[in-house]
Amino acid sequence: MEATGTDEVDKLKTKFISAWNNMKYSWVLKTKTYFSRNSPVLLLGKCYHFKYEDKTLPAESGCTIEDHVIAGNVEEFRKDFISRIWLTYREEFPQIEGSALTTDCGWGCTLRTGQMLLAQGLILHFLGRAWTWPDALNIENSDSESWTSHTVKKFTASFEASLSGEREFKTPTISLKETIGKYSDDHEMRNEVYHRKIISWFGDSPLALFGLHQLIEYGKKSGKKAGDWYGPAVVAHILRKAVEEARHPDLQGITIYVAQDCTVYNSDVIDKQSASMTSDNADDKAVIILVPVRLGGERTNTDYLEFVKGILSLEYCVGIIGGKPKQSYYFAGFQDDSLIYMDPHYCQSFVDVSIKDFPLETFHCPSPKKMSFRKMDPSCTIGFYCRNVQDFKRASEEITKMLKFSSKEKYPLFTFVNGHSRDYDFTSTTTNEEDLFSEDEKKQLKRFSTEEFVLL
């Protein structure tokens, strides 16, 4: 009886914390992001120049540029930014196995930023960098009053439901399915099918290939569980396992490689890209290369700023899993010495992505945020996408030149070397089907876990 009572107290505590986090991370006041009209803006390899014009910036843009409008590429930039897939805290999703959690508020931000990076890699793979969502500019920011009042109501309802043990799965009532008529040809329709398919792979249900539930299952193999803090390096390995284990036919042409000790072994990457070449499919696999690095010791070294900017200027860059101490962000661009990012720290309601024409608005961020590079936490994971072996060879040469230029007298952040890791006396341990991480990987993950920043 005593144990049962303790379990009930633990469940009640979990539900109360869950309800509190739902309120805390939904209490987001509308803030303006300021951009300079004199400096270009880089977003995942695309450059936008904002030109001065004597008008006011549209209120729904979510950004202000020196209190004046910037004509030129403003709308193109907004459309490009909003088209990136935004994955945030969610509440009221199906319970995570082995826990009482139905939300990732307060602990899942790095998993979310990892999902955003992988989503961008999949967009490059299936849709290309030039793709933008036709309905991107139809999304509008909510004003702070409506956000605040909605949050209070949601907190009250969430807390009452937690106490009574009830969970009601709801989806937003707004849908964009009426816009399907806008797609003028088969190519645009195909793009929209893949757009929805990619988002559905990140749904918050146990069956979603790259959803939170699946990522947590893979994390268990490295000693992590739901509610724990996940660092950028650990998430890189979890994403690799998730893609390797995905059996969806559309995903058989893509793989993930994670650098070992800041080293990318070229032959290992090419082997992964050629792993399943058969007479039926002689094409190379595409690869997403993830490189966990540290940009300094206790604090980020500003000497690395130009390198980070150079990386985000590459069209095949899929972003950076990073953040500032105690908070993870998905970095996708920069202006001057400020990084442009998407923030997962906003709690939204569960969306059932298995239903036809599920609403898309909550998976696209209406306005960018900026942060000084100096505030960036040194622990991060950099990502690149290469469509084939030839693209990988070209990218490795280009990034190597960039690393040499940026390192000056210091050692480079990471390196590309010829050969396999086994050629450099790394012990290779085979991985059992039952155990998704080798012993060496487990040691690496434990080391990364102690080095990276911790949850607030």
Side-chain angles (χ1 to χ4, degrees):
M1 283 298 291
E2 186 178 343
T4 305
T6 304
D7 289 344
E8 289 301 316
V9 170
D10 288 342
K11 284 182 181 178
L12 187 61
K13 185 190 294 185
T14 299
K15 288 174 180 178
F16 177 80
I17 292 171
S18 200
W20 167 251
N21 280 330
N22 290 340
M23 195 257 320
K24 177 181 177 183
Y25 293 105
S26 298
W27 199 285
V28 179
L29 298 179
K30 183 179 177 183
T31 57
K32 293 179 180 178
T33 300
Y34 288 84
F35 288 84
S36 167
R37 67 173 179 265
N38 300 316
S39 305
V41 174
L42 271 292
L43 183 70
L44 294 170
K46 281 203 168 184
C47 182
Y48 295 91
H49 291 276
F50 295 154
K51 296 177 183 177
Y52 172 77
E53 212 174 276
D54 194 15
K55 298 190 230 177
T56 56
L57 196 66
E60 68 271 13
S61 68
C63 52
T64 301
I65 306 160
E66 295 188 357
D67 295 326
H68 300 291
V69 107
I70 292 168
N73 294 135
V74 169
E75 293 304 291
E76 288 89 344
F77 168 71
R78 285 187 56 230
K79 190 170 186 178
D80 191 8
F81 178 84
I82 293 170
S83 297
R84 302 313 107 204
I85 293 175
W86 184 40
L87 297 156
T88 72
Y89 288 155
R90 295 278 172 173
E91 63 170 337
E92 299 178 341
F93 52 61
Q95 188 170 314
I96 296 170
E97 187 178 352
S99 78
L101 294 169
T102 57
T103 179
D104 61 317
C105 287
W107 57 270
C109 58
T110 315
L111 289 171
R112 296 299 187 182
T113 54
Q115 286 179 321
M116 285 189 257
L117 182 144
L118 177 55
Q120 178 59 20
L122 294 174
I123 284 177
L124 289 185
H125 186 64
F126 292 108
L127 302 174
R129 182 63 187 91
W131 173 83
T132 56
W133 182 33
D135 291 306
L137 297 180
N138 294 336
I139 290 186
E140 295 184 1
N141 282 343
S142 302
D143 57 42
S144 58
E145 289 76 20
S146 66
W147 281 11
T148 305
S149 60
H150 171 68
T151 299
V152 172
K153 291 175 184 175
K154 188 163 71 171
F155 171 65
T156 305
S158 177
F159 184 53
E160 289 175 351
S162 295
L163 291 177
S164 61
E166 297 172 358
R167 277 289 173 197
E168 225 179 297
F169 296 115
K170 299 176 183 177
T171 58
T173 55
I174 305 170
S175 175
L176 293 178
K177 63 182 178 180
E178 65 272 12
T179 62
I180 291 296
K182 291 182 181 179
Y183 305 122
S184 56
D185 56 33
D186 291 343
H187 179 68
E188 287 190 356
M189 280 298 296
R190 172 203 168 275
N191 285 351
E192 185 55 21
V193 167
Y194 270 107
H195 174 210
R196 285 182 168 274
K197 187 180 289 187
I198 291 169
I199 290 175
S200 71
W201 288 334
F202 294 92
D204 293 306
S205 68
L207 297 178
L209 294 175
F210 310 127
L212 196 74
H213 295 69
Q214 282 286 359
L215 298 186
I216 288 166
E217 280 301 307
Y218 294 124
K220 287 178 181 178
K221 305 293 183 180
S222 64
K224 295 289 185 181
K225 63 182 186 299
D228 284 351
W229 171 255
Y230 295 73
V234 173
V235 168
H237 285 274
I238 290 172
L239 294 177
R240 174 176 61 83
K241 287 299 179 185
V243 171
E244 285 177 354
E245 296 299 309
R247 295 293 176 256
H248 195 287
D250 286 343
L251 294 167
Q252 299 315 298
I254 188 168
T255 187
I256 287 184
Y257 173 88
V258 181
Q260 301 178 49
D261 294 320
C262 300
T263 305
V264 177
Y265 294 93
N266 295 342
S267 296
D268 288 345
V269 176
I270 293 169
D271 284 354
K272 284 183 77 75
Q273 291 184 276
S274 311
S276 62
M277 289 170 62
T278 62
S279 56
D280 297 330
N281 180 20
D283 293 334
D284 305 338
K285 277 189 176 185
V287 64
I288 296 172
I289 298 169
L290 300 179
V291 187
V293 296
R294 282 192 70 89
L295 304 175
E298 292 284 324
R299 295 182 180 178
T300 296
N301 187 335
T302 53
D303 288 345
Y304 292 123
L305 171 61
E306 293 307 313
F307 174 74
V308 170
K309 289 162 73 169
I311 290 297
L312 292 171
S313 302
L314 302 171
E315 280 209 6
Y316 50 84
C317 174
V318 293
I320 298 173
I321 305 170
K324 60 184 182 181
K326 307 179 179 96
Q327 288 184 318
S328 183
Y329 299 143
Y330 170 62
F331 294 116
F334 68 91
Q335 184 182 46
D336 295 325
D337 293 347
S338 294
L339 298 172
I340 296 169
Y341 66 92
M342 287 198 286
D343 188 355
H345 301 88
Y346 178 53
C347 186
Q348 304 189 88
S349 297
F350 166 75
V351 173
D352 185 356
V353 296
S354 66
I355 63 173
K356 188 179 179 182
D357 296 331
F358 62 88
L360 298 171
E361 304 94 316
T362 63
F363 296 100
H364 291 280
C365 184
S367 61
K369 290 189 175 185
K370 286 172 72 179
M371 183 191 86
S372 169
F373 177 77
R374 294 173 182 274
K375 295 181 180 178
M376 184 180 180
D377 190 280
S379 290
C380 62
T381 290
I382 299 168
F384 311 98
Y385 168 84
C386 302
R387 187 168 293 278
N388 50 44
V389 170
Q390 187 178 356
D391 276 0
F392 166 68
K393 290 178 178 178
R394 190 184 306 118
S396 64
E397 289 173 6
E398 186 174 2
I399 296 168
T400 297
K401 288 178 184 176
M402 193 182 295
L403 285 161
K404 285 180 180 176
F405 176 77
S406 66
S407 62
K408 297 178 183 176
E409 299 302 319
K410 304 183 298 295
Y411 290 107
L413 272 178
F414 61 94
T415 58
F416 290 83
V417 300
N418 293 323
H420 298 87
S421 59
R422 62 175 178 266
D423 300 332
Y424 294 83
D425 293 325
F426 281 90
T427 55
S428 57
T429 308
T430 55
T431 306
N432 297 325
E433 289 184 8
E434 305 296 325
D435 189 1
L436 292 178
F437 291 95
S438 69
E439 289 304 314
D440 288 342
E441 287 172 334
K442 285 180 180 177
K443 289 175 185 175
Q444 273 194 325
L445 292 175
K446 284 180 182 177
R447 177 164 55 81
F448 277 126
S449 298
T450 58
E451 287 177 356
E452 287 165 344
F453 44 84
V454 295
L455 179 65
L456 178 65

